[in-house]
Amino acid sequence: MNDLYKFINLSDYLDSIGIPPIEGKSSWKVIKGIDFEEAYKAGKISFEEDGIYLNYEGSKYRGYMFIKTPYIDRYGSYPRFHLTRCEVIQEFIDSGRFNSRYEWSNSNVNDLIDKTTGRLYNDEILDYCSKCKSELLGTINNTSDFHDLLRETNQIEDEVTVDIFGYIRGWKKISKAYRERQGYECENCGITPREAMHRRYWHVHHLKDKSDNNINSLQCLCILCHSKSNETHEKNFNTRANQRELTNFIKLYKEELRKRGIRFDDNYEIDT
């Protein structure tokens, strides 16, 4: 591999083009499967001098974007991946929408689905966009080169496939299965739903991080206990929609909560 990507020389190179040098090694996840447009509109994507970054669980991860569903069989080629906001990507941003489904990734390989036939192409290495290459100096030619660069400068962790909120793909099924396993009983206060329609007020809480779905790392909690589980959740549940759900839950289960000594705000009112 070119000496540019040796860690000992990379810092000097980044410094020469005005990018802060990398100090030591850091923990890093290989993430794939992120719907780019959804993440971009949610404010979780930032275009920076050395790449396209994803904000995931409070950390920024450098990666790239590519078309997930290209016309492979029609044109006989794979899509190029983008590392910068080149003129192709800028046109999409200016128009306010992407006319193809892009994904964000920092993996060495990705899966593609042909737009016309639906044929799946597994673990493909993608070539680099020539317009991006003219803007970002270096000798990266494909996603494998890019991944090697990340590996040289970071301690790579296990690969995960997540959505923009950091949940493992298939989380809804995992959550439902766990709640059913627990009988929809809050593991903190012990309250259970009186009818099936109320089950939406019972959530699954991650004791560690959202990518850890080990059964010992999960808790079934009613929405009130979930909202008070830690400072992060207290902040997240402060939105108008979540406050409305909390209000409705407390109205329905006020007496059970009082019997069990669970504190809640008596001033909650239904927002109409």
Side-chain angles (χ1 to χ4, degrees):
M1 181 177 292
N2 188 293
D3 283 344
L4 169 63
Y5 299 110
K6 298 297 184 182
F7 176 73
I8 192 170
N9 295 326
L10 180 62
S11 181
D12 292 337
Y13 170 72
L14 294 179
D15 185 56
S16 73
I17 60 174
I19 298 174
I22 296 173
E23 301 293 344
K25 291 181 179 287
S26 60
S27 180
W28 196 267
K29 282 185 172 67
V30 178
I31 304 171
K32 59 195 300 188
I34 298 292
D35 184 300
F36 183 87
E37 185 168 11
E38 187 178 5
Y40 180 75
K41 289 181 177 179
K44 293 181 177 291
I45 293 290
S46 61
F47 289 91
E48 302 187 17
E49 291 183 56
D50 61 337
I52 304 172
Y53 283 77
L54 172 74
N55 189 327
Y56 171 66
E57 293 194 333
S59 297
K60 290 172 64 176
Y61 291 84
R62 184 186 179 196
Y64 55 85
M65 57 188 292
F66 67 97
I67 296 177
K68 173 72 173 181
T69 53
Y71 293 99
I72 300 173
D73 294 349
R74 179 186 298 181
Y75 298 112
S77 62
Y78 296 146
R80 303 290 178 120
F81 76 95
H82 300 269
L83 264 178
T84 68
R85 185 160 53 186
C86 67
E87 60 184 71
V88 175
I89 303 304
Q90 188 62 54
E91 288 179 6
F92 292 138
I93 293 174
D94 291 342
S95 68
R97 64 181 297 272
F98 292 84
N99 60 14
S100 298
R101 186 196 168 188
Y102 279 84
E103 281 196 356
W104 183 98
S105 173
N106 61 6
S107 178
N108 60 328
V109 294
N110 294 279
D111 297 337
L112 305 171
I113 302 172
D114 184 80
K115 182 75 171 180
T116 303
T117 65
R119 180 182 174 185
L120 177 63
Y121 291 79
N122 291 109
D123 297 335
E124 300 296 342
I125 295 175
L126 306 180
D127 290 332
Y128 191 21
C129 165
S130 59
K131 296 184 184 298
C132 287
K133 194 170 186 178
S134 66
E135 295 185 16
L136 184 61
L137 300 176
T139 57
I140 295 174
N141 294 308
N142 53 46
T143 50
S144 181
D145 289 344
F146 177 78
H147 186 74
D148 286 342
L149 170 60
L150 295 183
R151 189 171 291 279
E152 288 287 336
T153 56
N154 298 278
Q155 179 182 342
I156 300 292
E157 296 182 357
D158 292 338
E159 183 173 295
V160 294
T161 303
V162 300
D163 62 21
I164 64 168
F165 303 106
Y167 290 107
I168 296 290
R169 286 295 175 91
W171 166 245
K172 289 183 179 180
K173 290 183 179 179
I174 295 172
S175 173
K176 182 180 179 181
Y178 184 80
R179 283 177 289 159
E180 289 179 347
R181 179 183 184 276
Q182 300 303 117
Y184 286 89
E185 179 178 346
C186 178
E187 294 181 58
N188 182 56
C189 69
I191 289 178
T192 57
R194 290 197 298 269
E195 54 186 84
M197 289 186 64
H198 294 174
R199 289 177 178 174
R200 76 172 191 270
Y201 298 118
W202 273 257
H203 303 170
V204 176
H205 170 59
H206 284 92
L207 295 172
K208 299 177 183 177
D209 65 69
K210 293 177 181 178
S211 63
D212 184 356
N213 288 328
N214 185 291
I215 195 168
N216 296 321
S217 299
L218 304 178
Q219 269 191 327
C220 177
L221 297 177
C222 70
I223 186 173
L224 181 60
C225 291
H226 196 195
S227 71
K228 299 191 295 183
S229 56
N230 55 43
E231 290 184 5
T232 299
H233 282 78
E234 287 179 6
K235 180 179 179 181
N236 292 343
F237 273 86
N238 202 31
T239 65
R240 190 176 184 85
N242 283 332
Q243 288 294 306
R244 185 181 294 113
E245 285 290 278
L246 278 166
T247 296
N248 291 333
F249 172 74
I250 290 170
K251 180 181 179 181
L252 289 167
Y253 289 89
K254 184 177 293 186
E255 294 307 315
E256 286 95 328
L257 292 169
R258 283 177 174 160
K259 289 177 182 178
R260 295 171 187 270
I262 304 300
R263 298 176 61 186
F264 58 89
D265 188 348
D266 281 312
N267 294 322
Y268 272 104
E269 293 181 0
I270 301 299
D271 184 357
T272 58

